[in-house]
Amino acid sequence: MSLLAREGEKELQAALQKVQADMESQGCSREEIGSQLASVRESHAAYMRQQRQMLQEREEVYKEAIAEGLTPEAAKARVQACAQWQQQMQRLQAKHQAAMQKTHHEAEAAGVSPAEIKRRLEAQRRLQQAEAEAWQQKMRARQQAASEAAEKGQSAAEVEKAVKAVTRAQDAAWAEREAALLAAEGVARREAAEAARQLADASLSPEIRRILLARVRIGGLSARPDLNGREGVAKMWVVEKSRFAVLVDGQGAKAAEQLLLKAANLTVLQPAGGGGGGSGAAAEEEAAAEEAAAEAAEE
């Protein structure tokens, strides 16, 4: 058994003993204790898989550095940089997990619908994915800037200056993108709140409320025949236009788009809050949202 495995087993046994002692002191049943211990084992197994993967990555970095002709000392320095990168990624992942849990708890406390909770979690996941990609891009840019500066024979101070300049540029780019994503989410939440209000508005006809927030299929359009047969969601009723704002699913090379359509051009496929899945990208988003909701509800 490797040192990593031995240390991991010690940590697991200590965690299991603590959980069991705590739950027994609280008077929990054997079934509850057993379920929680199984959850601890599963979480620890995932943690150990991640640790083994990180160790393997560092070993590969060392081998590649030696193959490039670096001295063992220089190769170890590169491994150290890799370890720091891995630690930063772990902190980012922990931050994202906490944000998902916060989003889930706040949505539940606000009393929003299960569908809106799923939508918010999926939006949070997209934001986090974008942040992780931006962070990785920044790390690559920093490494490239340092390598280029070193190849030019620049001093350590000049290398550091080049890296800082790249970092500032990458951080500014992410800040701009994050602001745009958060603004879009703000609009989406306001639209969801308005749709929820409309669903409860008895002054609107039953037909309008039946279509509202439902998955629909478009048909009978003469001005845009390319949309006939496409599917989407009737997000809200636009009173002044007497039309639904419909978010049409993307399809192949065709991007998603939002349009104002008459009720007569919409066929309800799945009522608001109904079971069953959509099709294509919508079904994939629904599955991802359900997975996000399950992950956030674990804590």
Side-chain angles (χ1 to χ4, degrees), residues 13-122:
Q13 293 306 319
L16 291 173
Q17 291 172 10
K18 184 178 187 305
V19 168
Q20 182 165 355
D22 289 346
M23 295 188 73
E24 286 177 347
S25 67
Q26 296 169 12
C28 297
S29 67
R30 292 181 61 182
E31 290 75 14
E32 290 173 325
I33 294 174
S35 176
Q36 186 60 30
L37 292 179
S39 178
V40 170
R41 290 191 181 92
E42 183 177 348
S43 297
H44 185 267
Y47 167 77
M48 291 303 297
R49 285 195 297 271
Q50 184 183 48
Q51 292 300 307
R52 286 193 293 271
Q53 181 180 356
M54 290 168 59
L55 178 60
Q56 184 176 358
E57 288 176 355
R58 294 196 293 271
E59 290 173 347
E60 289 298 324
V61 166
Y62 184 83
K63 291 177 182 178
E64 290 175 1
I66 294 298
E68 291 174 11
L70 271 65
T71 65
E73 291 74 16
K76 289 178 182 178
R78 185 177 291 185
V79 170
Q80 182 61 32
C82 175
Q84 292 174 353
W85 182 90
Q86 290 172 336
Q87 291 170 1
Q88 291 173 356
M89 178 58 78
Q90 283 185 311
R91 286 195 290 269
L92 183 62
Q93 290 171 344
K95 170 192 166 185
H96 285 172
Q97 184 178 9
M100 288 291 282
Q101 293 166 3
K102 180 181 179 183
T103 297
H104 188 265
H105 294 157
E106 288 180 346
E108 284 188 328
V112 302
S113 68
E116 173 61 8
I117 291 177
K118 289 180 182 180
R119 191 207 63 74
R120 290 188 184 188
L121 290 172
E122 178 58 23

Side-chain angles (χ1 to χ4, degrees), residues 85-242:
W85 182 90
Q86 290 172 336
Q87 291 170 1
Q88 291 173 356
M89 178 58 78
Q90 283 185 311
R91 286 195 290 269
L92 183 62
Q93 290 171 344
K95 170 192 166 185
H96 285 172
Q97 184 178 9
M100 288 291 282
Q101 293 166 3
K102 180 181 179 183
T103 297
H104 188 265
H105 294 157
E106 288 180 346
E108 284 188 328
V112 302
S113 68
E116 173 61 8
I117 291 177
K118 289 180 182 180
R119 191 207 63 74
R120 290 188 184 188
L121 290 172
E122 178 58 23
Q124 182 70 31
R125 172 171 285 184
R126 288 195 296 269
L127 175 66
Q128 291 175 352
Q129 182 178 359
E131 183 179 17
E133 290 172 354
W135 184 83
Q136 291 172 347
Q137 182 177 346
K138 179 173 73 172
M139 292 300 103
R140 289 193 294 269
R142 284 167 54 93
Q143 185 177 13
Q144 182 178 353
S147 298
E148 290 177 352
E151 287 174 1
K152 294 176 182 178
Q154 296 179 344
S155 66
E158 291 173 323
V159 171
E160 184 178 1
K161 182 179 179 180
V163 170
K164 285 183 176 180
V166 167
T167 300
R168 285 194 298 271
Q170 292 290 328
D171 286 344
W174 165 243
E176 182 177 353
R177 187 180 180 193
E178 181 183 33
L181 290 171
L182 291 175
E185 173 60 9
V187 171
R189 291 194 182 190
R190 288 192 293 274
E191 290 179 345
E194 174 60 16
R197 185 196 66 76
Q198 290 178 343
L199 276 174
D201 186 353
S203 68
L204 294 178
S205 71
E207 177 65 7
I208 289 176
R209 285 186 286 168
R210 184 180 74 87
I211 298 175
L212 190 61
L213 294 180
R215 279 201 62 77
V216 296
R217 179 180 292 122
I218 301 168
L221 294 179
S222 55
R224 289 287 307 273
D226 58 302
L227 291 175
N228 291 330
R230 297 271 295 276
E231 298 178 8
V233 175
K235 294 180 63 178
M236 61 186 298
W237 173 248
V238 183
V239 178
E240 58 271 22
K241 299 290 186 179
S242 295

Side-chain angles (χ1 to χ4, degrees), residues 247-263:
L247 181 61
V248 185
D249 297 343
Q251 187 179 75
K254 299 176 181 178
E257 56 181 314
Q258 184 163 303
L259 302 169
L260 295 178
L261 300 173
K262 296 179 180 179

